[in-house]
Amino acid sequence: MTAPATTLPAPAALTRVRPYQSYVYAYPHKTAYRPLPGRPALGDLWRGERKDALSLYLHIPFCEVRCGFCNLFTRIGAPEDLTGRYLDALDRQAAAVREALGDDGPVRFANAAFGGGTPTFLTADELDRLCDIAERRMGADLRAVPLSVEASPATATADRLAVLAERGATRLSLGVQSFVDEEARAAVRPQRRADVDAALGRIRDAGIPVLNIDLIYGIDGQTAATWRASLDAALAWQPEELYLYPLYVRPLTGLARRTAHTDHEWDEQRLNLYRQGRDHLLAQGYEQVSMRMFRRAGAAAQGPDDHACQTDGMIGLGCGARSYTSSLHYSFDYAVDMGEIRAIIDDYTATEDFGRAVHGRYVDGGEARRRHLLQSLLQAQGMPVADYRARFGTDPFEDFPAELNSFAARGWLEDDNAETLLRLTPEGLAHSDALGPELFSPAVRAAMTAYEPK
């Protein structure tokens, strides 16, 4: 690797890095967003942007239960006609956004996703309407592009799955987390193994091409044996994809007051379980796409992978969704506390004018470079240096000498062909949740630190 002038620190002098600091699923994170001065008009924001390969994301902020580890923007249940009013607002927002995209050039969608919350919390008829909003309002051809939908075992019913299959869903992601009932209870996720298996059977019967199963490691009481049992239970369904998530205990979540280990013990437990899961899946014919994502050999990709899904040109609909232009990331307000979330949802459903961006963060050239490096480096295939140079006209070794030197000194970067391909070693991938935050800019880091959880 062509190292910059900065001297590499001696490995013996390196301080210990905690491997689980933050799951970097988007950069900048929403906690760095702030109210936007002047509330810029969407038409102005999207004028001049490329719109021929957009991503479309529709957010449904409802769940039948909130898991103890969850800090997503979602509420439990939907009293009275709330889901109907939410879809009404989603329809109004979609109409405003499509108008803002204009007709000065082609507007096409390359992929679509329904997330949450739990999109399958909606009834079958409501899911049909959700698809109509994506197609008739936004112009997305759901049967012609990859469409990913998140579901829970309790809501993966035959009638809902039939709607999704008929409307073009190509990927169904089921949040299982553990096939061991005691572990599910420990994660405050009440479910029974029999119900999980029944849901998986219905998904396979529906004929949706790609099944993804989410599993979590680091749960209280989990052992190498029970983790292997969950892995094997998932593998019995031959899923095209598997995501292995480390457990995080975040502020304002159900598990926030529970501490069963010291930080060091828990880090070691999670690292050991991660390595066990990774090695087992690799031995079973799966390919590692990122720290979390594994794909069965020969299974077709269904849209952009993992971190790479958060690209420029994202249209997010719903009060928990983000949208991305090349220079601004925007959304609505963010919260974790249930009372705050209810208030934001109520405000959203009462909104008539969705023509302006209200909450977000501008992304300059320096942040765009960080974002590109972060997104690419956290993929197992790595980042072609030529792609970075072609996009920015600069060299990543000159733009990020301290960070790349640190990664190399810790053994996180491969040495072979580093001048042409920046790629993480297996140990680097294992430390993705430490490596990612090291690429945050001082400004973003300061904004996240100043954010007051609510």
Side-chain angles (χ1 to χ4, degrees):
M1 162 176 168
T2 303
T6 304
T7 302
L8 292 180
L14 295 174
T15 58
R16 178 180 176 271
V17 174
R18 292 203 62 195
Y20 300 104
Q21 296 180 30
S22 176
Y23 172 24
V24 186
Y25 59 88
Y27 180 79
H29 190 268
K30 253 188 170 183
T31 53
Y33 291 11
R34 295 294 185 269
L36 292 169
R39 296 194 170 198
L42 298 187
D44 294 336
L45 294 177
W46 284 99
R47 190 173 296 114
E49 295 283 326
R50 282 197 59 179
K51 292 167 278 193
D52 59 343
L54 296 169
S55 298
L56 179 63
Y57 177 75
L58 277 66
H59 180 259
I60 304 300
F62 306 110
C63 289
E64 75 275 12
V65 65
R66 188 167 195 179
C67 303
F69 51 83
C70 179
N71 72 336
L72 297 178
F73 187 92
T74 187
R75 63 162 291 164
I76 300 171
E80 301 173 355
D81 61 343
L82 182 55
T83 54
R85 289 188 285 114
Y86 185 84
L87 290 174
D88 290 344
L90 199 70
D91 190 61
R92 293 194 299 273
Q93 185 188 7
V97 171
R98 182 59 190 85
E99 180 180 359
L101 291 176
D103 296 308
D104 56 340
V107 177
R108 302 190 186 98
F109 292 92
N111 54 79
F114 301 158
T118 308
T120 49
F121 180 90
L122 301 177
T123 66
D125 287 343
E126 289 172 332
L127 284 171
D128 219 18
R129 186 182 177 194
L130 186 69
C131 293
D132 284 344
I133 291 171
E135 291 194 326
R136 297 177 185 177
R137 288 294 193 194
M138 295 305 302
D141 187 350
L142 297 182
R143 294 177 181 83
V145 300
L147 170 60
S148 179
V149 184
E150 297 172 3
S152 66
T155 61
T157 59
D159 59 338
R160 293 176 170 100
L161 295 170
V163 168
L164 295 174
E166 195 278 328
R167 297 301 296 261
T170 55
R171 179 180 182 272
L172 198 292
S173 181
L174 194 71
V176 173
Q177 320 315 349
S178 177
F179 283 86
V180 178
D181 289 351
E182 293 79 9
E183 290 178 5
R185 286 195 295 271
V188 194
R189 184 181 178 86
Q191 65 186 25
R192 296 184 305 135
R193 165 74 184 274
D195 296 331
V196 172
D197 284 333
L200 287 164
R202 292 191 295 270
I203 293 167
R204 283 309 196 194
D205 289 344
I208 296 172
V210 171
L211 165 64
N212 173 70
I213 297 176
D214 288 345
L215 297 176
I216 285 181
Y217 54 92
I219 300 170
D220 277 353
Q222 192 174 50
T223 66
T226 61
W227 177 228
R228 174 65 178 265
S230 273
L231 291 166
D232 286 339
L235 288 169
W237 291 97
Q238 297 186 310
E240 285 72 24
E241 295 175 3
L242 275 160
Y243 270 75
L244 308 185
Y245 287 96
L247 180 65
Y248 276 93
V249 176
R250 301 178 175 95
L252 304 180
T253 63
L255 292 180
R257 297 178 182 175
R258 302 186 182 190
T259 54
H261 312 285
T262 67
D263 289 342
H264 177 71
E265 288 173 335
W266 197 28
D267 285 347
E268 289 303 309
Q269 180 205 21
R270 285 180 289 179
L271 265 180
N272 289 335
L273 293 175
Y274 161 78
R275 291 169 177 143
Q276 176 191 349
R278 174 198 63 195
D279 294 348
H280 189 49
L281 294 186
L282 293 177
Q284 296 300 312
Y286 283 73
E287 300 168 343
Q288 187 165 18
V289 178
S290 69
M291 171 188 166
R292 288 164 170 74
M293 184 181 182
F294 295 81
R295 179 180 290 129
R296 199 177 71 201
Q302 294 295 323
D305 288 332
D306 202 14
H307 299 271
C309 72
Q310 305 295 345
T311 56
D312 297 334
M314 167 78 76
I315 297 292
L317 301 177
C319 59
R322 298 171 176 84
S323 294
Y324 303 135
T325 71
S326 59
S327 60
L328 178 68
H329 295 187
Y330 64 92
S331 66
F332 297 93
D333 201 1
Y334 171 72
V336 175
D337 176 76
M338 193 61 65
E340 295 282 354
I341 290 173
R342 291 192 187 103
I344 294 171
I345 293 174
D346 288 344
D347 287 344
Y348 176 82
T349 59
T351 298
E352 295 293 335
D353 181 5
F354 285 101
R356 295 182 175 275
V358 299
H359 207 78
R361 187 173 187 88
Y362 285 96
V363 177
D364 62 17
E367 295 291 15
R369 286 171 169 79
R370 289 182 182 276
R371 178 177 166 80
H372 182 97
L373 178 61
L374 191 154
Q375 289 176 313
S376 304
L377 201 55
L378 293 181
Q379 297 294 300
Q381 65 186 9
M383 185 192 79
V385 175
D387 290 354
Y388 184 97
R389 290 173 178 153
R391 179 174 180 184
F392 300 111
T394 57
D395 191 292
F397 304 107
E398 296 174 356
D399 292 342
F400 301 100
E403 293 90 341
L404 294 177
N405 272 317
S406 173
F407 301 160
R410 294 182 184 280
W412 293 352
L413 285 179
E414 290 187 352
D415 292 328
D416 296 342
N417 303 315
E419 295 86 355
T420 58
L421 180 68
L422 276 174
R423 185 176 178 180
L424 296 181
T425 62
E427 198 61 14
L429 277 175
H431 286 79
S432 291
D433 286 6
L435 183 152
E438 288 197 24
L439 289 171
F440 292 2
S441 71
V444 165
R445 197 182 302 274
M448 293 175 66
T449 301
Y451 174 79
E452 295 184 7
K454 61 180 181 179

